[in-house]
Amino acid sequence: MSFYSNSSGQWLDDTLEAMRLIMPDVLERERDVASKKWFAYRFMTPLAATKHFASLYGKGFKAYIRFNRDRDEAELREGLGARIFDSANRSLTELWHARQRADELGLPYELLIEFGFEFARKGGWKNPPRPMQLFGSAESDIAWPLEIEKFLNDRLPLVIDRFGDLPQYRVENYRRLRVQDEFRSYLIDRVLASTKPWASRLIGPCIEKRHLPLLLAIKLAPRDQRCRITTEFRLERESELLVEAPREALPQVAYVPACFGLVAAHRDLSPCSSCLFNVICQQMGKAASAETIRRYGSVSLLKDERDAKRKAAQRRRTARCRAKKKAATLMSSPAAI
């Protein structure tokens, strides 16, 4: 699965599919969580992020069944169902909400899911947690935040060390985007908090992954150690044991935020005014809207169907109410006696 949209066609397909499967009010939240989510997901479409979340949840579900019940049963259980993304359904909406909640908290999905299943197991839950239950229950609203903070303190550094797949954060692709600056600040804080030797702290983000500019990173180290760090870097490169991240030329769509082009996000444009992609986002949103109407006859066929069902139910309730009133009137009328 691609971690980001590397073509306009892929982005458009994901957006149309999201509009087909999910209600507009749910999609509207994507703008609210786009700047809060874990850095690995900032350039993923909401559909791609939800499918990634679903894959990790399925693995966690099987592991929970395998550990707490039976290995053979675990192989037969899917947790979410193999066809959850085929059509709009409650399970998919719950999954979408759970992924958005993880984004709002800025959590790596694999850590949230691992902790959520472990928290349920320690709590003696009879059944594995559903996606929204990964965040605990009403009874654990105090314990859950405290426990996950401890869990993240131990596990988050390992996730950061593995985080080198996204070319958008490499120095050659720096575009002065807010998310790129936030990521650099995050890495700098971790470098400064580390107790490793300075060369060991910097070789990964500067040389192997190229997340931090070398000149910027060297200045983080004490002045009297900078020459030695530079020498160690040169020796590492000359040894040919160092594996550097590949250089990739990226199209513009690879840099857009997760909420890019979603029609529901354009009801109120004021929060988008400072976004560098504001104009092209509106253009692509209109293109997605037009294509959705061409394919399905509506910007949100799902919303139209639910609105129609709600109106039909209201008409039935009104008809029953009128029928009862008419019957009561006839019973109380002298002519009916």
Side-chain angles (χ1 to χ4, degrees):
M1 178 187 301
S2 175
F3 262 53
Y4 64 94
S5 297
N6 56 11
S7 71
S8 298
Q10 179 185 336
W11 170 84
L12 182 60
D13 288 343
D14 280 9
T15 300
L16 295 179
E17 192 69 358
M19 292 166 66
R20 180 178 73 87
L21 296 171
I22 302 297
M23 289 286 285
D25 61 325
V26 179
L27 293 179
E28 190 171 0
R29 284 202 65 218
E30 297 299 341
R31 183 175 61 185
D32 299 329
V33 303
S35 61
K36 300 176 183 178
K37 57 176 61 186
W38 177 241
F39 293 107
Y41 317 131
R42 296 285 184 99
F43 301 104
M44 297 176 73
T45 65
L47 180 66
T50 307
K51 287 184 175 181
H52 181 52
F53 189 98
S55 175
L56 294 171
Y57 175 86
K59 294 176 182 176
F61 185 92
K62 285 183 177 292
Y64 186 94
I65 298 294
R66 190 181 302 114
F67 184 85
N68 294 280
R69 296 185 185 176
D70 180 77
R71 179 177 299 178
D72 293 334
E73 180 185 354
E75 297 307 313
L76 298 174
R77 299 285 296 276
E78 291 291 340
L80 293 172
R83 306 183 66 181
I84 187 172
F85 288 95
D86 287 359
S87 61
N89 56 81
R90 290 183 179 180
S91 293
L92 177 56
T93 299
E94 180 190 4
L95 176 70
W96 206 282
H97 277 301
R99 190 267 304 160
Q100 287 181 331
R101 177 62 175 155
D103 289 340
E104 185 177 39
L105 296 174
L107 296 174
Y109 301 155
E110 62 265 41
L111 294 190
L112 164 69
I113 290 168
E114 180 184 350
F115 173 79
F117 279 109
E118 182 68 9
F119 188 82
R121 185 187 67 79
K122 290 181 177 178
W125 290 30
K126 182 178 180 181
N127 297 311
R130 295 286 301 167
M132 281 303 293
Q133 292 175 326
L134 293 169
F135 303 91
S137 61
E139 292 75 23
S140 60
D141 60 335
I142 296 178
W144 192 91
L146 294 175
E147 292 300 317
I148 195 170
E149 183 176 0
K150 292 186 232 178
F151 177 81
L152 291 175
N153 286 337
D154 293 334
R155 300 297 302 278
L156 193 56
L158 299 176
V159 173
I160 296 170
D161 289 342
R162 297 196 307 264
F163 184 42
D165 295 332
L166 285 179
Q168 287 92 334
Y169 293 123
R170 295 177 194 148
V171 293
E172 65 269 20
N173 293 323
Y174 180 62
R175 298 292 185 273
R176 300 182 183 275
L177 299 178
R178 178 181 173 182
V179 62
Q180 293 174 324
D181 289 333
E182 289 177 351
F183 181 63
R184 286 187 177 185
S185 296
Y186 185 83
L187 288 181
I188 289 172
D189 288 342
R190 296 206 61 83
V191 167
L192 294 175
S194 176
T195 57
K196 295 179 181 179
W198 275 97
S200 298
R201 298 188 209 185
L202 298 177
I203 196 166
C206 292
I207 308 299
E208 293 178 324
K209 300 170 184 175
R210 294 196 309 283
H211 287 156
L212 289 177
L214 185 57
L215 293 179
L216 170 64
I218 288 292
K219 291 180 181 179
L220 300 175
R223 187 181 298 272
D224 61 346
Q225 297 188 39
R226 294 174 186 174
C227 288
R228 185 171 70 253
I229 294 170
T230 303
T231 300
E232 291 187 38
F233 282 179
R234 187 179 66 254
L235 292 174
E236 285 284 348
R237 278 178 162 164
E238 290 175 354
S239 70
E240 298 184 353
L241 296 176
L242 195 67
V243 178
E244 297 187 32
R247 295 180 180 272
E248 299 180 47
L250 302 177
Q252 185 179 29
V253 73
Y255 296 98
V256 300
C259 56
F260 180 74
L262 288 174
V263 174
H266 293 140
R267 294 179 180 178
D268 178 12
L269 292 176
S270 55
C272 303
S273 58
S274 60
C275 178
L276 295 176
F277 299 98
N278 183 28
V279 174
I280 189 174
C281 179
Q282 293 183 53
Q283 293 172 349
M284 294 297 279
K286 291 177 181 178
S289 177
E291 181 62 18
T292 304
I293 293 174
R294 187 187 72 79
R295 292 189 188 185
Y296 308 117
S298 170
V299 171
S300 177
L301 189 61
L302 177 61
K303 182 179 183 301
D304 290 348
E305 290 175 350
R306 293 187 179 180
D307 286 347
K309 289 180 180 178
R310 186 174 63 253
K311 290 177 181 178
Q314 181 60 47
R315 287 195 294 270
R316 289 193 294 271
R317 287 192 294 270
T318 300
R320 287 196 296 269
C321 183
R322 288 175 177 172
K324 288 180 181 179
K325 287 183 179 180
K326 184 175 181 180
T329 300
L330 290 175
M331 292 296 292
S332 61
S333 173
I337 301 176

